[in-house]
């Protein structure tokens, strides 16, 4: 089951009555979370792991590149413009 299918309805259809924060391991998952109505994405674990290897700059660069590519592929002009309409349902394998 995909993340989109698990929701009773797209988050974009709901009123913003509370703050939505999600954890995303990479930029693609962050883009999905933003499209579903999240206002912030937390990525503590990937950054902590990168910090142990002294590679935080690289981890942030990769994350932002993934987010930019996912946003472009979804057809949105910017990550802040992602909505549920940018998501596509996929058939189960």
């Amino acid at each position: 089951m995909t993340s989109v299918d698990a929701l009773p309805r797209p988050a974009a259809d709901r009123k913003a009555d509370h703050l939505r924060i999600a954890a995303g391991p990479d930029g693609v998952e962050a883009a999905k979370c933003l499209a579903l109505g999240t206002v912030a994405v937390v990525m503590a674990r990937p950054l902590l792991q990168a910090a142990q290897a002294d590679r935080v700059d690289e981890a942030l660069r990769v994350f932002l590149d993934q987010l930019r590519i996912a946003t472009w592929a979804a057809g949105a002009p910017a990550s802040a413009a992602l909505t549920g309409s940018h998501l596509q349902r996929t058939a189960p394998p």
Side-chain angles (χ1 to χ4, degrees):
M1 176 179 290
T2 65
S3 300
V4 175
D5 293 329
L7 295 173
R9 60 186 174 172
D13 293 345
R14 292 183 237 157
K15 296 199 184 274
D17 54 352
H18 61 281
L19 183 64
R20 291 180 198 86
I21 301 174
D26 60 39
V28 175
E29 290 298 317
K32 290 179 192 177
C33 292
L34 292 169
L36 291 169
T38 299
V39 295
V41 177
V42 179
M43 50 180 281
R45 182 177 179 164
L47 288 179
L48 288 172
Q49 290 173 331
Q52 290 176 336
D54 197 28
R55 300 176 78 171
V56 173
D57 291 345
E58 180 183 347
L60 286 173
R61 181 188 53 76
V62 169
F63 177 86
L64 291 173
D65 286 348
Q66 291 171 340
L67 179 59
R68 286 184 189 111
I69 291 168
T71 300
W72 169 80
S79 58
L82 287 167
T83 65
S85 66
H86 292 104
L87 299 174
Q88 296 181 8
R89 292 188 187 274
T90 57

